[in-house]
Every structure is written in C-alpha cells, then in structure tokens.
Amino acid sequence: MAVVWRLGLILFGFAAATLVAALIHAPTARASESLDAYETQPRLRGAAADSLYDLDVDPTDDAEPGEDSFSDSAHEAGDGEAPMPADGLVAEDGVIDLGEPEVPEDGADPFRDTRPPADRDAFVNPPAGYDPLLFQIEDIDPTITDRRPARLARFEPYDPVGIRIGSFVFFPEVELGGLWTDNVLSSPDAQSDVAAEIRSSARLVSNWSTHALELRGTTLSTFHDDFSSEDDRAWSVEARGRLDISRRTNLQGVAGHDVSQESRTAIDANQTGQRADVTTDRVELAFNHRFNRLSVQLRGGVSDTRYSDTNGMSNADRDTLETVEAVRAAWEFKPTLAVFAEQELNQRENRALPPDGISRDSHGTRTRIGLDFGSTGAVLRGTISVGYGRQMPDDNRLSNVDAFLFDANLAWRPTEITSFLLTAQSDIFETTTVESGGVISHTVGLEARHALRRYLVASAGVAYTHYDYDATPFTEQQWLAFTGLEYYASPWLVLFARYQHLDFASNDLDGDYTSDEIRAGVRVRR
C-alpha cells in the first residue's frame, strides 16, 4: 500500500504541476496581442530567406510607401468580406486537394521552417548572452549545485575576464576585510569582538566545444582579537566534469573535500568552548538523457561527514556516511518552462552510538514535484518544487519523521539593474538529542539587488530558518536580515560593506539571543 500511495502522490503532483505550468504558459486574450503574435516580422534586405517564397525577388521592392505589391484592387476585400488569397484560388469546404505538391526550385531547402517568427520563438530559448565565468557543469542537482540562477541575480558592471592558459581559463580572487560583532559566541551572554578576514578562491575551467572540466579551491581564515576559539581555518577543493556522450546524453560528476569549523548555530553544536572541525568528502554522479520533450536524470551520491573531538570528548556518534539515489523526469513545454517529478532514496549510517544508546542509523525517501524555468534565460531561470519527505530510523524505539518539503533556486531579473534571488531548502537531519529520530529543517531566503549607479550596487535580503526536533518539545527559529553596498572601482577591484542582524529564538531555557555584524573590505580578482 505504501508504494501505491507514493506512486499516486507522484502522479497527482505531476498532474497538478502540469496544470499550473499550462496556466502560466497560457497567452493573454487581448485581440491586438493575438494579431501581433502571428504577424510575420519584417526582414532586412539581403537577409536569408524565411520560406520558399522568399527565394525570388521581394515583391515589395517596387511598391510605393505604405503599399505592398499584393494590395491591388483585384485582391482587396470589402468590409466584412474574407480577403482573397494571393493566387486567386478559394478552398471549398469539405474538399481535400490530393494533387502532388509543387517541386521546390533547384537549390531550395524543402525542410526550411516557414512558420511565422513568433511561432518559432515560442520554442527557442531566449539568449542569456555569453557567460565569461563558464558555468558548464550544473545539472547534477539543480537545487544545490546549479550556480547559473545566482549568476543571473548577481549582475555586475564588470565581468571577470580570467587568465587564459591554453584551452583553460583561470579565475583567481582574493578578499581582505574586517569584521565587528556584538555577540561573537552567539549566546545570550553577548560579548563583542573584532576580527580580520582573508578569503581566496580560484577556478580553472576548460573552454572546449565538447566535454567540460572544472577545478576549484577556496580558503577562509579569520583572526579574532579576543576569542581565538572563533577563528576559522577552512578550505575546500572540488572537481567537476562533464562527458558528452551524444548531443542528447551526458554524464556529469562532482567530487569534493571540505574542511570547516562548525557554526555555533548548527544542530547539536557546542555552545561554549572548542568548536568541532567538520570534514566532508562527497562524490556525486548524474546521467542525463533527453528523448524529445521528455528528459530523464539518474543520480547517485556518497557523502562522508566526520566531526573532530571537542573539549576532550568524542563526536564519533555524529559521524555520518550517507548514500543517495534519485530519478528525475521532466516534460518540457518550451526551453524556459518544464514540469518535473523526482523520487529520492537515502541510507545513513553513524559510526558510534549516542549517549542514550539508541542507534541513529536510518533510511528515507524524498518525493518532489516542481517547475523548471530553464538555466539560460535572461529574465527568469531556476527551479522551484514542493514535496514530502520521510526518514525512518532502523531502531524501532524511534518514530518515523515526516516533513513537508519546499526547495527553490530561482532568479528573476525584471530589469537590467534589478534582480531577485529566491532560495529554499528543506530536509530531515540526524540529531543526538535524546528520544528524537531527526530534525526537520526549513530554510527560505530572498535577496534583492539594485544598481544605484553604474558602478554602485546595493543589496538587501532576509532569510528564515526553522528547526523542529521530532518527538521532543524543542524548536528553534532564526531570522537573518542584511543589507550591503558594492563599489566596482575597476574590473579588478571591488570595495564592499555589509550589515547583518540575526535573531535566534528557542523554547530551550536561555536559548534566545541576537547579534549584529558589520563587514567591510576589498575584493581583488582577475
């Protein structure tokens, strides 16, 4: 029954999403727009012919201004009368012409698309322009690994040009800045501190006609004045690849190694004392094939997360090995609108038992349906979906955890100087909290950018995160608001400033706090 119920949920969701997509795609009913949609646009003199009839001399060449060569009295229609066809032949109702089609002239292409431009454009992806950052390996997990929606939202007066190295392009970037915060430990007992920050990143990207390869590395170092426990020594390396098997089939993969220090606001994190070093190794692989309007993706991944000891205590009970398998099917109405359904399975294993002696090993499912607005549009791109998730602990002393899912990675750029980016992610995470089988996490964020001047860009945003610890009364929620300015002094130099306010609330005793941060610095890139 469970399998039938899930299949019914997928089919019902797919149908509902298809209906929503059809309503979005439906044209307006205004007569003037309907006429314009099917009106063939004028063609420049000397341009390539649009149909077989354009192969001869343009009949309008000798017409007077405001008059074409077909507007003589023999072809004019009176008021209320249907216009006479140019060839003078009138089709009779119920009569089918079984005559042989005319043979095209020598040199003419019988397969030339003779539809009006408006009809052709409905199935053509609107150009987004050349992207110098060369984001080419983005279809592994559209919600998490696709950087193209953020690229559309983060418009800049100067694009990085990189350094050409053979058939590769190298993009280096260094950021130097300072930080002030009034609550460095993220606790009810607020204490202020200042710190210096150094960030760097580098990407080496191929510029090939087929296949693609990308190598990326990042570092983050912070140096606090009073609280050295909050210093960061984070770094990561990542490799992405795309193998083009055919025009409709490719294989994409990503492998990464990441080392960072755990945030004070993370699930099960230490609120005082030493922070844990979090090391994550992951590999993901996706097979993509497009039949026609139907495209299918088979995806799998392995992630190994380990926590270092803190304050002389082991965190092995938080170490998790997770495997994921997923299948995704999408039906395309046009390149900028598709409906999709996705089914995902996962298995999680922990290396040690938590203090309550109950294993947190589990397996789960995620079912999603949504809309895909393409990845190359100049106005709208990205995905948005809703779904249902369930995580089932292997130990029957813990109950199943069910959650509503909402995920988004969607950018909208209504004008050249204004953009919006909607991000959302929902999942069920492991926890060592006594008697709880997992934590339901929902995060939603919205960021707006606007160019005040050509070289001055302002940004503002808000994000909300909610944690619900299953089978316990504990809940946590976090509001984050920020605003910032970026001044592009040159293609290689950017000055920035940012203010951030965080409001954290918990029903745990003395769990509420607020914090304010101010960052300023300079970014150098090539």
Side-chain angles (χ1 to χ4, degrees), residues 298-328:
L298 302 178
R299 186 175 74 245
V302 179
S303 176
D304 184 15
T305 304
R306 302 178 300 278
Y307 295 82
S308 67
D309 298 344
T310 54
N311 302 324
M313 299 181 61
S314 173
N315 284 312
D317 56 333
R318 302 175 61 192
D319 295 349
T320 305
L321 177 65
E322 180 180 27
T323 57
V324 176
E325 309 85 28
V327 58
R328 176 188 179 105

Side-chain angles (χ1 to χ4, degrees), residues 286-301:
F287 175 80
N288 304 286
H289 180 74
R290 179 185 178 89
F291 294 95
N292 36 56
R293 290 182 180 268
L294 175 66
S295 60
V296 176
Q297 180 190 75
L298 302 178
R299 186 175 74 245

Side-chain angles (χ1 to χ4, degrees), residues 148-466:
R148 291 169 296 191
R151 170 61 175 162
L152 175 65
R154 189 173 176 79
F155 59 87
E156 300 174 339
Y158 299 113
D159 283 322
V161 296
I163 302 172
R164 184 169 296 277
I165 305 175
S167 61
F168 288 82
V169 181
F170 180 61
F171 296 97
E173 181 175 302
V174 176
E175 185 177 293
L176 304 175
L179 162 70
W180 173 87
T181 175
D182 68 345
N183 193 347
V184 64
L185 298 176
S186 300
S187 69
D189 183 18
Q191 300 185 66
S192 63
D193 200 359
V194 295
E197 290 186 331
I198 302 176
R199 299 175 184 264
S200 67
S201 66
R203 295 174 63 236
L204 183 64
V205 190
S206 65
N207 192 14
W208 305 332
S209 58
T210 57
H211 314 306
L213 179 64
E214 176 181 336
L215 304 176
R216 184 172 69 94
T218 65
T219 65
L220 168 63
S221 298
T222 61
F223 306 88
H224 287 77
D225 187 35
D226 295 326
F227 295 88
S228 60
S229 62
E230 308 311 299
D231 290 348
D232 290 297
R233 298 293 184 270
W235 60 276
S236 68
V237 291
E238 181 184 87
R240 297 189 183 204
R242 190 192 74 232
L243 177 64
D244 296 326
I245 302 173
S246 70
R247 187 170 60 90
R248 296 187 175 188
T249 307
N250 67 59
L251 189 65
Q252 300 190 27
V254 57
H257 177 80
D258 180 88
V259 177
S260 62
Q261 285 67 48
E262 188 175 30
S263 170
R264 295 291 185 187
T265 61
I267 298 172
D268 297 336
N270 284 339
Q271 300 303 311
T272 59
Q274 184 181 5
R275 294 190 298 163
D277 292 333
V278 184
T279 303
T280 302
D281 294 297
R282 63 187 179 94
V283 176
E284 295 180 67
L285 197 63
F287 175 80
N288 304 286
H289 180 74
R290 179 185 178 89
F291 294 95
N292 36 56
R293 290 182 180 268
L294 175 66
S295 60
V296 176
Q297 180 190 75
L298 302 178
R299 186 175 74 245
V302 179
S303 176
D304 184 15
T305 304
R306 302 178 300 278
Y307 295 82
S308 67
D309 298 344
T310 54
N311 302 324
M313 299 181 61
S314 173
N315 284 312
D317 56 333
R318 302 175 61 192
D319 295 349
T320 305
L321 177 65
E322 180 180 27
T323 57
V324 176
E325 309 85 28
V327 58
R328 176 188 179 105
W331 181 266
E332 183 180 281
F333 295 96
K334 58 179 182 177
T336 56
L337 182 60
V339 59
F340 69 88
E342 178 178 293
Q343 181 65 42
E344 177 184 303
L345 305 176
N346 69 62
Q347 304 82 33
R348 296 173 178 172
E349 297 180 4
N350 295 88
R351 288 189 171 83
L353 295 177
D356 61 6
I358 302 177
S359 172
R360 294 304 194 270
D361 293 353
S362 64
H363 59 282
T365 63
R366 307 288 187 268
T367 304
R368 297 181 178 92
I369 56 171
L371 299 175
D372 189 336
F373 296 95
S375 57
T376 59
V379 177
L380 183 67
R381 67 174 71 165
T383 63
I384 186 170
S385 66
V386 295
Y388 169 81
R390 167 172 286 187
Q391 200 67 25
M392 295 161 280
D394 294 345
D395 195 312
N396 57 18
R397 286 176 290 180
L398 299 175
S399 60
N400 295 338
V401 184
D402 300 283
F404 167 78
L405 306 177
F406 175 62
D407 299 280
N409 183 18
L410 190 63
W412 178 43
R413 190 171 174 180
T415 69
E416 290 295 324
I417 61 174
T418 304
S419 69
F420 299 90
L421 179 63
L422 173 66
T423 56
Q425 190 171 358
S426 305
D427 207 347
I428 304 171
F429 295 102
E430 305 299 316
T431 179
T432 57
T433 303
V434 177
E435 298 182 353
S436 179
V439 179
I440 302 172
S441 169
H442 292 98
T443 300
V444 181
L446 179 63
E447 179 180 356
R449 287 174 64 86
H450 181 74
L452 304 177
R453 293 291 187 269
R454 180 178 180 182
Y455 306 113
L456 185 63
V457 180
S459 61
V462 61
Y464 174 74
T465 301
H466 184 270

Side-chain angles (χ1 to χ4, degrees), residues 59-73 76:
T60 63
D61 286 348
D62 299 327
E64 296 295 329
E67 176 186 36
D68 59 37
S69 62
F70 297 115
S71 60
D72 54 55
S73 59
E76 291 180 353

